[in-house]
Amino acid sequence: MTALSAFFYRKPRLRLGFLLSAPLLWLGLAYLGALAALFVTAFWHTDAFTGQVVIEWSLDNFTTLFSDAVYRTITFRTVGIAALVTVIDAVVAFPMAFAMAKLASPRAQRILVIAVMTPLWASYLVKAYAWRSMLSGNGALSWLSPGYGVTATIITLSYLWLPYMILPIYAGLERLPDSLVDASGDLGARSFRTFRSVILPLTFPAIVAGSIFTFSLSLGDYIAVKIVGGTSQMLGNVVYDNIGAANNLPFAATVATVPVVIMLVYLAAVRRTGALDNL
C-alpha cells in the first residue's frame, strides 16, 4: 500500500470527498451553472430592431409573462395536462405494479419488468409518431380523440411516461410485507378496506415518487404536443419558439423559469411524504 493510499484509508471522509469531487464539479458547472445562467438571462431583453440581446436588468419579460392572458392560459394548460397525465398513469400503473409484485411468480416478475422497460429502449419520436398515426382520422384509435389537440397530447404523454410510474410503485409494493395484507384479511377486512387502510398508505410515497417523474417530464415536454397537439401549445413550445423563430432568448429563459419554479414547489411539498427516498 502506497503512502497516498494509506493516507486516504485513514481519512474516509476525505476519500469520499475526493471520489465525489469530479461528479460534483460537473454537476456544478454543467447543470447548476447553466441553471444560474438561465435565471440571469431572464432579466435581460432583446432589441426589437437588431435582435441582439441587451444586457440590461429589467422585469419586462416577467411583466409580459404574467400580464398576457395567452401565456397564463398556456401555463394553466401545461400544469393541467401534466397533472392529468400523472393521475392517469397512477391509476393505470398501480394494478399493473400490484400484479407484478404480489401475484406474479419470481420468473414472471423479471419478464414483466423487462416488458415494462422495453418501450424505454425505443426512440421517443418513433413512439410519438406511432400515436400520431393511431390517432389520425383513419387510425386504429381515432375514436379516442377528436383530432389532434389536448386529448391526443394527454394520451400520448400518458403512454410515454407510464413506465416511470410503474417501476417506483412496483418497488414500493415489493417492499410491502405480505404478512400485513394477510393480517388485515385475518382481522376481517375486505379487499377494498385492506387496499384503503394498508396498501395505499404504505405505497403512497412510491406513487408520489413516480409522480415526480411523470409530472416533471410532462411539464417540460414540447415535442409530443408539436406532433399530436394540433394548435395547442404548452410552455415547452413557447420556450422552443422563442429560441428559434422569434430569436428572443431572454423571454425564452423567462418562460423556462416557470416549470422550474413549479417543480421546486412540488418537490418541497412532497419531501415530507418520504417520496424522495423512493427515487
Side-chain angles (χ1 to χ4, degrees):
M1 181 181 294
T2 64
L4 182 61
S5 299
F7 174 76
F8 279 117
Y9 182 78
R10 294 192 299 269
K11 306 286 186 178
R13 293 186 178 180
L14 186 61
R15 182 173 69 247
L16 179 62
F18 178 76
L19 292 174
L20 293 178
S21 59
L24 287 177
L25 180 63
W26 174 255
L27 175 65
L29 293 177
Y31 181 73
L32 297 180
L35 197 60
L38 173 73
F39 286 126
V40 170
T41 307
F43 293 95
W44 299 344
H45 67 275
T46 301
D47 189 279
F49 295 99
T50 65
Q52 299 296 316
V53 175
V54 179
I55 305 178
E56 292 180 358
W57 297 89
S58 99
L59 296 174
D60 292 344
N61 291 329
F62 290 95
T63 301
T64 302
L65 179 64
F66 293 120
S67 62
D68 196 315
V70 173
Y71 296 120
R72 289 201 303 270
T73 300
I74 293 174
T75 300
F76 288 131
R77 180 190 298 132
T78 302
V79 175
I81 289 175
L84 191 54
V85 167
T86 298
V87 171
I88 292 173
D89 280 348
V91 172
V92 174
F94 198 96
M96 296 177 64
F98 185 85
M100 291 166 58
K102 298 301 180 184
L103 303 180
S105 64
R107 184 171 181 271
Q109 285 183 3
R110 292 191 290 270
I111 296 174
L112 290 172
V113 170
I114 294 174
V116 169
M117 295 180 64
T118 299
L120 299 178
W121 303 341
S123 169
Y124 175 102
L125 290 176
V126 170
K127 292 181 287 187
Y129 274 106
W131 275 102
R132 178 182 174 88
S133 299
M134 290 188 291
L135 295 173
S136 64
N138 299 322
L141 300 177
S142 59
W143 53 273
L144 282 176
S145 175
Y148 301 129
V150 173
T151 303
T153 302
I154 292 172
I155 293 172
T156 303
L157 291 177
S158 297
Y159 167 78
L160 290 172
W161 311 139
L162 181 60
Y164 295 97
M165 180 66 79
I166 294 177
L167 295 176
I169 296 178
Y170 165 74
L173 287 168
E174 196 176 31
R175 292 192 295 267
L176 179 67
D178 294 334
S179 58
L180 293 178
V181 179
D182 295 338
S184 177
D186 294 340
L187 293 172
R190 296 175 180 252
S191 299
F192 180 75
R193 178 63 185 275
T194 300
F195 169 77
R196 182 171 60 86
S197 302
V198 179
I199 298 176
L200 185 59
L202 293 177
T203 56
F204 182 73
I207 298 173
V208 177
S211 75
I212 294 173
F213 291 110
T214 57
F215 186 74
S216 62
L217 290 170
S218 300
L219 200 65
D221 190 273
Y222 70 96
I223 300 177
V225 71
K226 282 282 189 182
I227 296 173
V228 300
T231 59
S232 302
Q233 282 192 314
M234 295 174 65
L235 287 173
N237 303 115
V238 179
V239 175
Y240 177 81
D241 292 340
N242 277 277
I243 290 177
N247 192 29
N248 191 347
L249 183 60
F251 189 72
T254 303
V255 177
T257 60
V258 176
V260 173
V261 171
I262 291 175
M263 280 310 304
L264 289 175
V265 173
Y266 187 69
L267 290 173
V270 304
R271 182 181 179 184
R272 299 183 177 225
T273 67
L276 299 182
D277 297 333
N278 288 266
L279 295 178

